[in-house]
Amino acid sequence: MAEFPRLPLSHLAMSGFEPSKIPKHRLSEVVPEPVCFAGSIQPHGVLLALSIPERVVVQVSANIQDYFDISPQDLLGRPLSVLLDETEIEAIDRELKHAGHLNKSSARINRDQQHFHITAYRTATAIVLELEPASIQLDARQMHARVNQAIAQLRRVPDLTEFLQTAAATVRGMTEFDRVMVYQFDSQGAGAVVAEAKRDDLPPYLGLHYPATDIPEPIRELYRRGLVRYIPDLSAPWVEFISTENSIAVQPLDLSSCVLRGVDPCCVEYHRNMGVAAILVIALVRGDTLWGLISCHHQTPKFIDGDVRESCQILGQLIASELANKVNTEELDELTRLRSLLTEFIQSIAEVDDLKQALVNPAPRLLDLVSAQGAAVCLEDEITRVGQTPSQDRIREIVDWIETQPSFPSSFSLPASAPDNVLFCTDSLPKIYQAAEAFKDSASGLLALQISKVRRYTILWFRPEVLQTVNWAGDPNTSLTVAADGSVTLCPRQSFDRWQEIVRFTSLPWKHCELENALNLRSAIVGIVLKGADELARVNQELERSNRELDSFAYAASHDLKEPLRGIHNYSNLLLRGYSEVLDDVGRSRLRTLTRLTRRMETLIDALLKFSRLGQAELNIHPTDLDRLLHQVLEELSIGRPHQQAEIRIPRSLPTVHCDSVLMRDVLVNLLSNALKYNDKSQRWIEIGYIESESETARQGPEASKNLHPEIFYVRDNGIGIRERHLDRIFSLFKRLHEQHLYGGGTGAGLTIAKKIIEHHGGRIWVESTDGEGSTFYFTLN
């Protein structure tokens, strides 16, 4: 990663590390029985499984009597009210109804001066309750203030490396563990310690690498779902379950969300070999991806309260969400330099007619664009080399080989903007193309950019082999053993001392900003130089896909915005109700303004959601009686807007057309609503009709004759009209021509949605208007 001068772990497979040569489907064989069915728990709490919906105890951990004055036999088969009172049960039910991620919730109860922290969640067959003793001395308000202070401090740190180091130090301060590490995964599941806070007398783990087998895929999947793993005493004996004889009990209880879940012996031995007696692990999940872990180690048993763990989990969520906002300062400087080079390069290309000469003269520009040591410009059969490269024949072989690849086995996560099979890159070409071993000194790294497949325009960049030293936390080859029969066994490593390995046949890795620069260069060349129909068609396809991705992003972003917005609205109302007497008139007025603004923001988000769905949904085309649909819409508007009435004129019945009736209803609603709303006349009227397109074709141009339906539909009114200078703006999203409080408000999305629906049908929509006299909206269908 950029914050450490190390080789990305996804490329260590070529280093001679034997476990990486084992196929992935064989690695899955080394994982023990599913961890979600461990069958036992740790002894620092108790576990109950309740039947649904009776709330009868069907399973209980054998240590229940250590915490409550009741034996397992006296509790099994009986309702939960035997153990907890009705108030506590109601609190648990209430929390379960509002349970969030993993359907988990937590609460506190008090029994005989003893506090218990309860975690509750549902499985397919039962409700599971975990009860842990909680600290009476813990000041929840003080802990809350401490978390808020830590969040504020972290948000002030702009640099990624410093941010992660501060995060490790903050978590260590809250938990008082001997060592706290931030551990980052790569795309293959291997990882490295990228930040560390520890006792001074402990050896450093910062910068050490760990193979993917140290945290197998099933465990990573649990962490990806937001798991917090807490083992206060790795040497503590397990506690078994006692069950009733029923259908739930005979099935293994799903403990995948269980904090108390028992510990696999392999995990115990692994950490003992590290000299660790207690661990706390918090997942860092960014979006849907497991970015890394906050891993806390202690050399002696370490008990921390459930509220402290929850605070650390909240802090972990904040850290994960902030990762995308933090930029390594060196990376930012490099990005700025590359963008500046690209701008100058594109300008020079635009000023000359000879593409080849523009690319290679002066030579350093093409190399500096992606920090390469060599490059080759391949225009059909002509190859021009710059810097340190393989021979022309070798380059021609590489180009031929690339064209035979259905999908290039890239070692990197390519930018989302990269079209399929256009940008190819690897920092270990000899690993995937054996012939490259002969010219590893000039081309161990390859970045290939296809400008045009039709004309075989390709640019290749090369980087030489760089022998690199990788520091492992112990010999990674000892994590797996392969028997004579080929069976694979996962083994806890005995040593975590620094173990160095020399990696061959690799170059320095290509940075994400360098790949983006290459893509931007391609776009510039296509736009400036290549005007052929094949490239224009390709660009249109890419644009269409980008639009779909933009629609998907708009939908996801607006959908995710609603939850925090709802929280702001609810908290504002709570403040108004609970602190009204404390606040002065100005404070109350500002809170009311805040709630009003959140309601408007929610309306805008709903409009954005609707707009984005239009780009994703398939049309349901069928014969639709527009006249019948129009009268339904008019009836709905007359009921919903009794104060906005107008004379409705329909010169003749509308025809039946092929369209999506649901979406066409939206078009009519938006056009008619605007005609009613933007009208200040005492005698309002609206006319809805259609005309034959032949009479309009001459006036509207050839585009009007392209639609399959011969009709041009219109909605005409005698409203306020639109000034000529605003005619091009009215179909833009969230554009309003008047102040928010005028003409009944609105989001300014109605006409945008109508335009997108019409264009989705293959038609077009336009407007003619006279300021102060009225407007006519025309639309066609294809």
Side-chain angles (χ1 to χ4, degrees), residues 498-528:
R498 186 182 299 264
W499 189 87
Q500 290 190 335
E501 184 172 21
I502 303 299
V503 180
R504 300 189 59 212
F505 299 123
T506 62
S507 70
L508 293 176
W510 304 97
K511 297 177 182 177
H512 194 273
C513 56
E514 294 164 346
L515 305 185
E516 288 282 6
N517 243 21
L519 285 174
N520 290 335
L521 174 64
R522 180 182 184 274
S523 298
I525 293 173
V526 170
I528 297 172

PDB file of all heavy atoms in Angstrom, residues 498-528:
ATOM      1  N   ARG A 498      10.580 -12.042  12.767  1.00  0.00           N
ATOM      2  CA  ARG A 498      10.702 -11.482  11.416  1.00  0.00           C
ATOM      3  C   ARG A 498      11.418 -12.479  10.501  1.00  0.00           C
ATOM      4  O   ARG A 498      12.496 -12.980  10.807  1.00  0.00           O
ATOM      5  CB  ARG A 498      11.470 -10.172  11.478  1.00  0.00           C
ATOM      6  CG  ARG A 498      11.553  -9.418  10.148  1.00  0.00           C
ATOM      7  CD  ARG A 498      12.371  -8.151  10.322  1.00  0.00           C
ATOM      8  NE  ARG A 498      11.740  -7.272  11.292  1.00  0.00           N
ATOM      9  CZ  ARG A 498      10.934  -6.279  10.977  1.00  0.00           C
ATOM     10  NH1 ARG A 498      10.661  -6.042   9.707  1.00  0.00           N
ATOM     11  NH2 ARG A 498      10.415  -5.507  11.913  1.00  0.00           N
ATOM     12  N   TRP A 499      10.781 -12.782   9.389  1.00  0.00           N
ATOM     13  CA  TRP A 499      11.297 -13.761   8.427  1.00  0.00           C
ATOM     14  C   TRP A 499      11.320 -13.098   7.054  1.00  0.00           C
ATOM     15  O   TRP A 499      10.293 -12.681   6.538  1.00  0.00           O
ATOM     16  CB  TRP A 499      10.395 -14.994   8.412  1.00  0.00           C
ATOM     17  CG  TRP A 499      10.915 -16.176   7.636  1.00  0.00           C
ATOM     18  CD1 TRP A 499      11.745 -17.175   8.079  1.00  0.00           C
ATOM     19  CD2 TRP A 499      10.610 -16.503   6.276  1.00  0.00           C
ATOM     20  NE1 TRP A 499      11.975 -18.096   7.087  1.00  0.00           N
ATOM     21  CE2 TRP A 499      11.294 -17.702   5.962  1.00  0.00           C
ATOM     22  CE3 TRP A 499       9.857 -15.891   5.283  1.00  0.00           C
ATOM     23  CZ2 TRP A 499      11.223 -18.307   4.714  1.00  0.00           C
ATOM     24  CZ3 TRP A 499       9.786 -16.488   4.023  1.00  0.00           C
ATOM     25  CH2 TRP A 499      10.460 -17.680   3.753  1.00  0.00           C
ATOM     26  N   GLN A 500      12.507 -12.937   6.467  1.00  0.00           N
ATOM     27  CA  GLN A 500      12.653 -12.191   5.229  1.00  0.00           C
ATOM     28  C   GLN A 500      12.658 -13.113   4.020  1.00  0.00           C
ATOM     29  O   GLN A 500      13.139 -14.240   4.078  1.00  0.00           O
ATOM     30  CB  GLN A 500      13.933 -11.361   5.249  1.00  0.00           C
ATOM     31  CG  GLN A 500      13.879 -10.192   6.228  1.00  0.00           C
ATOM     32  CD  GLN A 500      15.042  -9.255   6.045  1.00  0.00           C
ATOM     33  OE1 GLN A 500      16.109  -9.639   5.558  1.00  0.00           O
ATOM     34  NE2 GLN A 500      14.855  -8.002   6.448  1.00  0.00           N
ATOM     35  N   GLU A 501      12.115 -12.590   2.933  1.00  0.00           N
ATOM     36  CA  GLU A 501      12.061 -13.350   1.692  1.00  0.00           C
ATOM     37  C   GLU A 501      12.358 -12.414   0.524  1.00  0.00           C
ATOM     38  O   GLU A 501      11.881 -11.273   0.502  1.00  0.00           O
ATOM     39  CB  GLU A 501      10.669 -13.975   1.527  1.00  0.00           C
ATOM     40  CG  GLU A 501      10.548 -14.860   0.305  1.00  0.00           C
ATOM     41  CD  GLU A 501       9.218 -15.603   0.285  1.00  0.00           C
ATOM     42  OE1 GLU A 501       8.279 -15.145   0.960  1.00  0.00           O
ATOM     43  OE2 GLU A 501       9.140 -16.623  -0.407  1.00  0.00           O
ATOM     44  N   ILE A 502      13.136 -12.874  -0.448  1.00  0.00           N
ATOM     45  CA  ILE A 502      13.452 -12.099  -1.642  1.00  0.00           C
ATOM     46  C   ILE A 502      12.461 -12.491  -2.744  1.00  0.00           C
ATOM     47  O   ILE A 502      12.332 -13.662  -3.081  1.00  0.00           O
ATOM     48  CB  ILE A 502      14.893 -12.362  -2.117  1.00  0.00           C
ATOM     49  CG1 ILE A 502      15.884 -12.053  -0.990  1.00  0.00           C
ATOM     50  CG2 ILE A 502      15.193 -11.523  -3.360  1.00  0.00           C
ATOM     51  CD1 ILE A 502      15.842 -10.615  -0.518  1.00  0.00           C
ATOM     52  N   VAL A 503      11.777 -11.499  -3.280  1.00  0.00           N
ATOM     53  CA  VAL A 503      10.780 -11.732  -4.324  1.00  0.00           C
ATOM     54  C   VAL A 503      11.391 -11.374  -5.677  1.00  0.00           C
ATOM     55  O   VAL A 503      11.912 -10.279  -5.859  1.00  0.00           O
ATOM     56  CB  VAL A 503       9.515 -10.879  -4.069  1.00  0.00           C
ATOM     57  CG1 VAL A 503       8.483 -11.120  -5.163  1.00  0.00           C
ATOM     58  CG2 VAL A 503       8.936 -11.200  -2.707  1.00  0.00           C
ATOM     59  N   ARG A 504      11.302 -12.311  -6.645  1.00  0.00           N
ATOM     60  CA  ARG A 504      11.881 -12.122  -7.972  1.00  0.00           C
ATOM     61  C   ARG A 504      10.786 -12.006  -9.024  1.00  0.00           C
ATOM     62  O   ARG A 504       9.620 -12.266  -8.780  1.00  0.00           O
ATOM     63  CB  ARG A 504      12.807 -13.287  -8.322  1.00  0.00           C
ATOM     64  CG  ARG A 504      13.979 -13.477  -7.351  1.00  0.00           C
ATOM     65  CD  ARG A 504      14.943 -14.509  -7.899  1.00  0.00           C
ATOM     66  NE  ARG A 504      15.462 -14.091  -9.207  1.00  0.00           N
ATOM     67  CZ  ARG A 504      15.791 -14.946 -10.179  1.00  0.00           C
ATOM     68  NH1 ARG A 504      15.652 -16.252  -9.992  1.00  0.00           N
ATOM     69  NH2 ARG A 504      16.262 -14.513 -11.328  1.00  0.00           N
ATOM     70  N   PHE A 505      11.197 -11.618 -10.226  1.00  0.00           N
ATOM     71  CA  PHE A 505      10.310 -11.496 -11.396  1.00  0.00           C
ATOM     72  C   PHE A 505       9.179 -10.499 -11.169  1.00  0.00           C
ATOM     73  O   PHE A 505       8.075 -10.660 -11.688  1.00  0.00           O
ATOM     74  CB  PHE A 505       9.718 -12.856 -11.796  1.00  0.00           C
ATOM     75  CG  PHE A 505      10.745 -13.876 -12.189  1.00  0.00           C
ATOM     76  CD1 PHE A 505      10.824 -15.096 -11.530  1.00  0.00           C
ATOM     77  CD2 PHE A 505      11.651 -13.619 -13.208  1.00  0.00           C
ATOM     78  CE1 PHE A 505      11.763 -16.035 -11.884  1.00  0.00           C
ATOM     79  CE2 PHE A 505      12.601 -14.558 -13.576  1.00  0.00           C
ATOM     80  CZ  PHE A 505      12.660 -15.769 -12.905  1.00  0.00           C
ATOM     81  N   THR A 506       9.454  -9.487 -10.388  1.00  0.00           N
ATOM     82  CA  THR A 506       8.427  -8.458 -10.158  1.00  0.00           C
ATOM     83  C   THR A 506       9.035  -7.070 -10.335  1.00  0.00           C
ATOM     84  O   THR A 506      10.228  -6.866 -10.119  1.00  0.00           O
ATOM     85  CB  THR A 506       7.833  -8.557  -8.734  1.00  0.00           C
ATOM     86  OG1 THR A 506       8.873  -8.332  -7.784  1.00  0.00           O
ATOM     87  CG2 THR A 506       7.187  -9.892  -8.493  1.00  0.00           C
ATOM     88  N   SER A 507       8.172  -6.150 -10.708  1.00  0.00           N
ATOM     89  CA  SER A 507       8.570  -4.745 -10.795  1.00  0.00           C
ATOM     90  C   SER A 507       7.894  -3.992  -9.662  1.00  0.00           C
ATOM     91  O   SER A 507       7.143  -4.572  -8.871  1.00  0.00           O
ATOM     92  CB  SER A 507       8.125  -4.159 -12.140  1.00  0.00           C
ATOM     93  OG  SER A 507       6.711  -4.043 -12.178  1.00  0.00           O
ATOM     94  N   LEU A 508       8.143  -2.703  -9.586  1.00  0.00           N
ATOM     95  CA  LEU A 508       7.362  -1.884  -8.665  1.00  0.00           C
ATOM     96  C   LEU A 508       5.909  -1.898  -9.122  1.00  0.00           C
ATOM     97  O   LEU A 508       5.634  -1.907 -10.319  1.00  0.00           O
ATOM     98  CB  LEU A 508       7.900  -0.448  -8.642  1.00  0.00           C
ATOM     99  CG  LEU A 508       9.303  -0.265  -8.038  1.00  0.00           C
ATOM    100  CD1 LEU A 508       9.739   1.193  -8.177  1.00  0.00           C
ATOM    101  CD2 LEU A 508       9.322  -0.694  -6.577  1.00  0.00           C
ATOM    102  N   PRO A 509       4.974  -1.918  -8.205  1.00  0.00           N
ATOM    103  CA  PRO A 509       3.564  -2.012  -8.601  1.00  0.00           C
ATOM    104  C   PRO A 509       3.066  -0.739  -9.265  1.00  0.00           C
ATOM    105  O   PRO A 509       3.557   0.364  -9.004  1.00  0.00           O
ATOM    106  CB  PRO A 509       2.844  -2.258  -7.263  1.00  0.00           C
ATOM    107  CG  PRO A 509       3.751  -1.664  -6.234  1.00  0.00           C
ATOM    108  CD  PRO A 509       5.143  -1.887  -6.728  1.00  0.00           C
ATOM    109  N   TRP A 510       2.086  -0.903 -10.142  1.00  0.00           N
ATOM    110  CA  TRP A 510       1.442   0.250 -10.775  1.00  0.00           C
ATOM    111  C   TRP A 510       0.460   0.860  -9.793  1.00  0.00           C
ATOM    112  O   TRP A 510      -0.337   0.164  -9.172  1.00  0.00           O
ATOM    113  CB  TRP A 510       0.700  -0.180 -12.042  1.00  0.00           C
ATOM    114  CG  TRP A 510       1.570  -0.881 -13.046  1.00  0.00           C
ATOM    115  CD1 TRP A 510       1.696  -2.216 -13.211  1.00  0.00           C
ATOM    116  CD2 TRP A 510       2.445  -0.273 -14.003  1.00  0.00           C
ATOM    117  NE1 TRP A 510       2.585  -2.504 -14.209  1.00  0.00           N
ATOM    118  CE2 TRP A 510       3.067  -1.326 -14.718  1.00  0.00           C
ATOM    119  CE3 TRP A 510       2.757   1.039 -14.331  1.00  0.00           C
ATOM    120  CZ2 TRP A 510       3.975  -1.097 -15.744  1.00  0.00           C
ATOM    121  CZ3 TRP A 510       3.662   1.269 -15.349  1.00  0.00           C
ATOM    122  CH2 TRP A 510       4.270   0.220 -16.052  1.00  0.00           C
ATOM    123  N   LYS A 511       0.496   2.165  -9.666  1.00  0.00           N
ATOM    124  CA  LYS A 511      -0.420   2.844  -8.753  1.00  0.00           C
ATOM    125  C   LYS A 511      -1.752   3.108  -9.437  1.00  0.00           C
ATOM    126  O   LYS A 511      -1.837   3.210 -10.665  1.00  0.00           O
ATOM    127  CB  LYS A 511       0.190   4.180  -8.286  1.00  0.00           C
ATOM    128  CG  LYS A 511       1.471   4.022  -7.493  1.00  0.00           C
ATOM    129  CD  LYS A 511       2.051   5.391  -7.124  1.00  0.00           C
ATOM    130  CE  LYS A 511       3.368   5.254  -6.373  1.00  0.00           C
ATOM    131  NZ  LYS A 511       3.962   6.578  -6.075  1.00  0.00           N
ATOM    132  N   HIS A 512      -2.767   3.231  -8.612  1.00  0.00           N
ATOM    133  CA  HIS A 512      -4.113   3.471  -9.137  1.00  0.00           C
ATOM    134  C   HIS A 512      -4.166   4.764  -9.952  1.00  0.00           C
ATOM    135  O   HIS A 512      -4.809   4.825 -11.014  1.00  0.00           O
ATOM    136  CB  HIS A 512      -5.107   3.536  -7.969  1.00  0.00           C
ATOM    137  CG  HIS A 512      -6.535   3.448  -8.395  1.00  0.00           C
ATOM    138  ND1 HIS A 512      -7.271   4.548  -8.765  1.00  0.00           N
ATOM    139  CD2 HIS A 512      -7.366   2.385  -8.530  1.00  0.00           C
ATOM    140  CE1 HIS A 512      -8.498   4.174  -9.093  1.00  0.00           C
ATOM    141  NE2 HIS A 512      -8.582   2.870  -8.960  1.00  0.00           N
ATOM    142  N   CYS A 513      -3.479   5.807  -9.493  1.00  0.00           N
ATOM    143  CA  CYS A 513      -3.502   7.080 -10.214  1.00  0.00           C
ATOM    144  C   CYS A 513      -2.799   6.962 -11.563  1.00  0.00           C
ATOM    145  O   CYS A 513      -3.141   7.675 -12.512  1.00  0.00           O
ATOM    146  CB  CYS A 513      -2.884   8.188  -9.369  1.00  0.00           C
ATOM    147  SG  CYS A 513      -1.197   7.872  -8.807  1.00  0.00           S
ATOM    148  N   GLU A 514      -1.810   6.060 -11.691  1.00  0.00           N
ATOM    149  CA  GLU A 514      -1.133   5.846 -12.966  1.00  0.00           C
ATOM    150  C   GLU A 514      -2.054   5.148 -13.961  1.00  0.00           C
ATOM    151  O   GLU A 514      -2.062   5.465 -15.150  1.00  0.00           O
ATOM    152  CB  GLU A 514       0.143   5.036 -12.740  1.00  0.00           C
ATOM    153  CG  GLU A 514       1.196   5.796 -11.933  1.00  0.00           C
ATOM    154  CD  GLU A 514       2.298   4.913 -11.371  1.00  0.00           C
ATOM    155  OE1 GLU A 514       2.139   3.663 -11.369  1.00  0.00           O
ATOM    156  OE2 GLU A 514       3.321   5.470 -10.918  1.00  0.00           O
ATOM    157  N   LEU A 515      -2.846   4.193 -13.450  1.00  0.00           N
ATOM    158  CA  LEU A 515      -3.815   3.517 -14.320  1.00  0.00           C
ATOM    159  C   LEU A 515      -4.871   4.516 -14.792  1.00  0.00           C
ATOM    160  O   LEU A 515      -5.279   4.492 -15.961  1.00  0.00           O
ATOM    161  CB  LEU A 515      -4.479   2.361 -13.572  1.00  0.00           C
ATOM    162  CG  LEU A 515      -3.548   1.308 -12.953  1.00  0.00           C
ATOM    163  CD1 LEU A 515      -4.356   0.165 -12.359  1.00  0.00           C
ATOM    164  CD2 LEU A 515      -2.563   0.781 -13.981  1.00  0.00           C
ATOM    165  N   GLU A 516      -5.321   5.378 -13.901  1.00  0.00           N
ATOM    166  CA  GLU A 516      -6.297   6.406 -14.281  1.00  0.00           C
ATOM    167  C   GLU A 516      -5.704   7.339 -15.339  1.00  0.00           C
ATOM    168  O   GLU A 516      -6.394   7.754 -16.282  1.00  0.00           O
ATOM    169  CB  GLU A 516      -6.714   7.216 -13.045  1.00  0.00           C
ATOM    170  CG  GLU A 516      -7.601   6.467 -12.074  1.00  0.00           C
ATOM    171  CD  GLU A 516      -9.045   6.387 -12.541  1.00  0.00           C
ATOM    172  OE1 GLU A 516      -9.328   6.824 -13.682  1.00  0.00           O
ATOM    173  OE2 GLU A 516      -9.875   5.885 -11.773  1.00  0.00           O
ATOM    174  N   ASN A 517      -4.433   7.685 -15.198  1.00  0.00           N
ATOM    175  CA  ASN A 517      -3.778   8.552 -16.182  1.00  0.00           C
ATOM    176  C   ASN A 517      -3.763   7.904 -17.560  1.00  0.00           C
ATOM    177  O   ASN A 517      -3.988   8.562 -18.578  1.00  0.00           O
ATOM    178  CB  ASN A 517      -2.346   8.865 -15.721  1.00  0.00           C
ATOM    179  CG  ASN A 517      -2.147  10.338 -15.454  1.00  0.00           C
ATOM    180  OD1 ASN A 517      -3.095  11.071 -15.224  1.00  0.00           O
ATOM    181  ND2 ASN A 517      -0.904  10.779 -15.461  1.00  0.00           N
ATOM    182  N   ALA A 518      -3.471   6.600 -17.587  1.00  0.00           N
ATOM    183  CA  ALA A 518      -3.460   5.887 -18.865  1.00  0.00           C
ATOM    184  C   ALA A 518      -4.846   5.895 -19.503  1.00  0.00           C
ATOM    185  O   ALA A 518      -4.986   6.114 -20.713  1.00  0.00           O
ATOM    186  CB  ALA A 518      -2.970   4.451 -18.655  1.00  0.00           C
ATOM    187  N   LEU A 519      -5.876   5.662 -18.712  1.00  0.00           N
ATOM    188  CA  LEU A 519      -7.241   5.676 -19.241  1.00  0.00           C
ATOM    189  C   LEU A 519      -7.621   7.056 -19.766  1.00  0.00           C
ATOM    190  O   LEU A 519      -8.280   7.185 -20.804  1.00  0.00           O
ATOM    191  CB  LEU A 519      -8.224   5.239 -18.149  1.00  0.00           C
ATOM    192  CG  LEU A 519      -8.264   3.746 -17.825  1.00  0.00           C
ATOM    193  CD1 LEU A 519      -9.161   3.503 -16.630  1.00  0.00           C
ATOM    194  CD2 LEU A 519      -8.752   2.944 -19.022  1.00  0.00           C
ATOM    195  N   ASN A 520      -7.223   8.093 -19.030  1.00  0.00           N
ATOM    196  CA  ASN A 520      -7.528   9.449 -19.476  1.00  0.00           C
ATOM    197  C   ASN A 520      -6.796   9.785 -20.777  1.00  0.00           C
ATOM    198  O   ASN A 520      -7.321  10.503 -21.629  1.00  0.00           O
ATOM    199  CB  ASN A 520      -7.156  10.457 -18.386  1.00  0.00           C
ATOM    200  CG  ASN A 520      -8.086  10.374 -17.194  1.00  0.00           C
ATOM    201  OD1 ASN A 520      -9.229   9.940 -17.324  1.00  0.00           O
ATOM    202  ND2 ASN A 520      -7.595  10.765 -16.029  1.00  0.00           N
ATOM    203  N   LEU A 521      -5.580   9.260 -20.928  1.00  0.00           N
ATOM    204  CA  LEU A 521      -4.849   9.464 -22.180  1.00  0.00           C
ATOM    205  C   LEU A 521      -5.599   8.815 -23.342  1.00  0.00           C
ATOM    206  O   LEU A 521      -5.738   9.401 -24.412  1.00  0.00           O
ATOM    207  CB  LEU A 521      -3.439   8.878 -22.073  1.00  0.00           C
ATOM    208  CG  LEU A 521      -2.623   8.890 -23.370  1.00  0.00           C
ATOM    209  CD1 LEU A 521      -2.368  10.317 -23.830  1.00  0.00           C
ATOM    210  CD2 LEU A 521      -1.309   8.127 -23.184  1.00  0.00           C
ATOM    211  N   ARG A 522      -6.093   7.619 -23.114  1.00  0.00           N
ATOM    212  CA  ARG A 522      -6.863   6.932 -24.168  1.00  0.00           C
ATOM    213  C   ARG A 522      -8.089   7.745 -24.569  1.00  0.00           C
ATOM    214  O   ARG A 522      -8.380   7.908 -25.755  1.00  0.00           O
ATOM    215  CB  ARG A 522      -7.290   5.551 -23.689  1.00  0.00           C
ATOM    216  CG  ARG A 522      -8.097   4.785 -24.724  1.00  0.00           C
ATOM    217  CD  ARG A 522      -8.564   3.434 -24.203  1.00  0.00           C
ATOM    218  NE  ARG A 522      -9.242   2.703 -25.256  1.00  0.00           N
ATOM    219  CZ  ARG A 522     -10.535   2.835 -25.540  1.00  0.00           C
ATOM    220  NH1 ARG A 522     -11.266   3.687 -24.837  1.00  0.00           N
ATOM    221  NH2 ARG A 522     -11.078   2.129 -26.504  1.00  0.00           N
ATOM    222  N   SER A 523      -8.804   8.251 -23.570  1.00  0.00           N
ATOM    223  CA  SER A 523     -10.000   9.050 -23.869  1.00  0.00           C
ATOM    224  C   SER A 523      -9.647  10.273 -24.696  1.00  0.00           C
ATOM    225  O   SER A 523     -10.367  10.646 -25.629  1.00  0.00           O
ATOM    226  CB  SER A 523     -10.688   9.478 -22.573  1.00  0.00           C
ATOM    227  OG  SER A 523     -11.120   8.353 -21.838  1.00  0.00           O
ATOM    228  N   ALA A 524      -8.508  10.897 -24.368  1.00  0.00           N
ATOM    229  CA  ALA A 524      -8.085  12.083 -25.108  1.00  0.00           C
ATOM    230  C   ALA A 524      -7.733  11.737 -26.548  1.00  0.00           C
ATOM    231  O   ALA A 524      -8.116  12.449 -27.487  1.00  0.00           O
ATOM    232  CB  ALA A 524      -6.893  12.732 -24.411  1.00  0.00           C
ATOM    233  N   ILE A 525      -7.011  10.626 -26.740  1.00  0.00           N
ATOM    234  CA  ILE A 525      -6.623  10.219 -28.092  1.00  0.00           C
ATOM    235  C   ILE A 525      -7.858   9.890 -28.919  1.00  0.00           C
ATOM    236  O   ILE A 525      -7.980  10.298 -30.081  1.00  0.00           O
ATOM    237  CB  ILE A 525      -5.664   9.013 -28.037  1.00  0.00           C
ATOM    238  CG1 ILE A 525      -4.332   9.426 -27.408  1.00  0.00           C
ATOM    239  CG2 ILE A 525      -5.438   8.437 -29.423  1.00  0.00           C
ATOM    240  CD1 ILE A 525      -3.384   8.280 -27.165  1.00  0.00           C
ATOM    241  N   VAL A 526      -8.790   9.166 -28.327  1.00  0.00           N
ATOM    242  CA  VAL A 526     -10.021   8.811 -29.041  1.00  0.00           C
ATOM    243  C   VAL A 526     -10.786  10.068 -29.420  1.00  0.00           C
ATOM    244  O   VAL A 526     -11.292  10.213 -30.534  1.00  0.00           O
ATOM    245  CB  VAL A 526     -10.898   7.874 -28.182  1.00  0.00           C
ATOM    246  CG1 VAL A 526     -12.281   7.708 -28.798  1.00  0.00           C
ATOM    247  CG2 VAL A 526     -10.226   6.525 -28.017  1.00  0.00           C
ATOM    248  N   GLY A 527     -10.878  11.007 -28.481  1.00  0.00           N
ATOM    249  CA  GLY A 527     -11.650  12.211 -28.737  1.00  0.00           C
ATOM    250  C   GLY A 527     -10.998  13.172 -29.702  1.00  0.00           C
ATOM    251  O   GLY A 527     -11.681  13.848 -30.470  1.00  0.00           O
ATOM    252  N   ILE A 528      -9.657  13.241 -29.695  1.00  0.00           N
ATOM    253  CA  ILE A 528      -8.959  14.237 -30.508  1.00  0.00           C
ATOM    254  C   ILE A 528      -8.548  13.686 -31.867  1.00  0.00           C
ATOM    255  O   ILE A 528      -8.686  14.362 -32.895  1.00  0.00           O
ATOM    256  CB  ILE A 528      -7.712  14.745 -29.752  1.00  0.00           C
ATOM    257  CG1 ILE A 528      -8.144  15.463 -28.463  1.00  0.00           C
ATOM    258  CG2 ILE A 528      -6.873  15.664 -30.620  1.00  0.00           C
ATOM    259  CD1 ILE A 528      -6.985  15.832 -27.558  1.00  0.00           C
TER     260      ILE A 528
END
